Amino acid sequence: GDSVTQMEGPVTLSEEAFLTINCTYTATGYPSLFWYVQYPGEGLQLLLKATKADDKGSNKGFEATYRKETTSFHLEKGSVQVSDSAVYFCALSVNQGAQKLVFGQGTRLTINP
Amino acid sequence: DAGVIQSPRHEVTEMGQEVTLRCKPISGHNSLFWYRQTMMRGLELLIYFNNNVPIDDSGMPEDRFSAKMPNASFSTLKIQPSEPRDSAVYFCASTRTASGNTIYFGEGSWLTVV
């Protein structure tokens, strides 16, 4: 079946550090890939997405590239801020008549000043 | 535009009581999803609808859970009777069905069963 595996947390970094959160997937068909972010006490918000191989999604300094050959969609940011502290979810979407979003387990990120 | 609207935002109820969670999807969206989030199990897809029809309810934990979508602008998730292990955040989400379309989430209903 379709599944997403992402780097286990929690991840703790200092402000201005480089961030990578790994994400790999298995899917039947050709999925679209997403990163969602959940701030404390809130719902999930779309951070970025990519819909075909080699596409790069980017937003708020975060980037991820759809790598079909390695079935990966790693999230990166060059210089993190305290306000980036949140839980990050990698997800894939497959259209099987209706669209369905499958999530990874989430990675909790804490940025210390 | 209004996002996905869920109610109640918070509910505390006693074991054995019926709980009804409500969702209004974004206008024009034709797919609706119910997710449950817990520390132990993360985000789980419970059920999803396309054009008001349930497509996959394999994630519904047991017969105590039921979901309906009587029209394009309203859905309910009901738990009867509720149990403490049902305590979780329940998210509703919606999208316009097409490959790559973003699925938008509500702010969640935080349920505590005591």
Side-chain angles (χ1 to χ4, degrees):
Chain A
D2 304 316
S3 66
V4 174
T5 302
Q6 62 181 101
M7 179 173 162
E8 288 215 17
V11 174
T12 302
L13 296 172
S14 297
E15 205 165 22
E16 299 184 3
F18 183 85
L19 168 71
T20 300
I21 300 177
N22 290 337
C23 171
T24 57
Y25 67 90
T26 57
T28 54
Y30 203 137
S32 297
L33 302 174
F34 303 80
W35 277 100
Y36 279 80
V37 59
Q38 185 179 29
Y39 298 103
E42 298 185 12
L44 281 77
Q45 305 173 24
L46 177 70
L47 180 60
L48 53 85
K49 70 178 184 182
T51 57
K52 60 182 188 295
D54 300 324
D55 269 2
K56 178 186 284 187
S58 61
N59 186 26
K60 299 181 181 178
F62 290 89
E63 293 183 340
T65 301
Y66 190 144
R67 300 286 188 204
K68 196 165 187 288
E69 64 277 13
T70 54
T71 62
S72 65
F73 192 55
H74 304 321
L75 182 69
E76 296 182 338
K77 185 173 185 180
S79 175
V80 292
Q81 307 300 313
V82 172
S83 57
D84 294 327
S85 298
V87 181
Y88 291 82
F89 293 90
C90 185
L92 68 81
S93 171
V94 288
N95 198 337
Q96 300 167 334
Q99 201 167 337
K100 179 177 172 179
L101 200 61
V102 176
F103 285 93
Q105 68 269 39
T107 302
R108 182 175 298 278
L109 174 68
T110 301
I111 306 300
N112 294 321
Chain B
D1 285 342
V4 176
I5 299 172
Q6 293 187 244
S7 64
R9 284 298 313 278
H10 299 272
E11 174 140 353
V12 180
T13 191
E14 290 186 348
M15 183 173 64
Q17 295 299 304
E18 178 180 291
V19 173
T20 299
L21 307 179
R22 298 173 178 80
C23 176
K24 177 178 168 54
I26 293 172
S27 178
H29 285 188
N30 62 335
S31 288
L32 182 141
F33 309 80
W34 283 100
Y35 286 88
R36 178 172 69 175
Q37 185 178 36
T38 60
M39 289 291 291
M40 292 294 293
R41 300 172 70 95
L43 266 169
E44 304 172 275
L45 177 62
L46 301 178
I47 185 172
Y48 70 99
F49 296 83
N50 192 46
N51 295 324
N52 311 339
V53 176
I55 301 299
D56 183 355
D57 65 354
S58 59
M60 295 285 263
E62 48 198 274
D63 291 346
R64 296 185 297 108
F65 285 69
S66 62
K68 293 182 180 179
M69 192 164 186
N71 57 63
S73 58
F74 184 65
S75 177
T76 59
L77 178 68
K78 188 173 294 188
I79 309 172
Q80 168 62 21
S82 58
E83 296 181 3
R85 60 193 168 117
D86 302 331
S87 298
V89 185
Y90 291 82
F91 288 104
C92 179
S94 72
T95 191
R96 186 174 292 121
T97 300
S99 292
N101 273 4
T102 300
I103 294 177
Y104 294 89
F105 283 76
E107 294 194 332
S109 291
W110 301 67
L111 174 65
T112 303
V113 183
V114 298

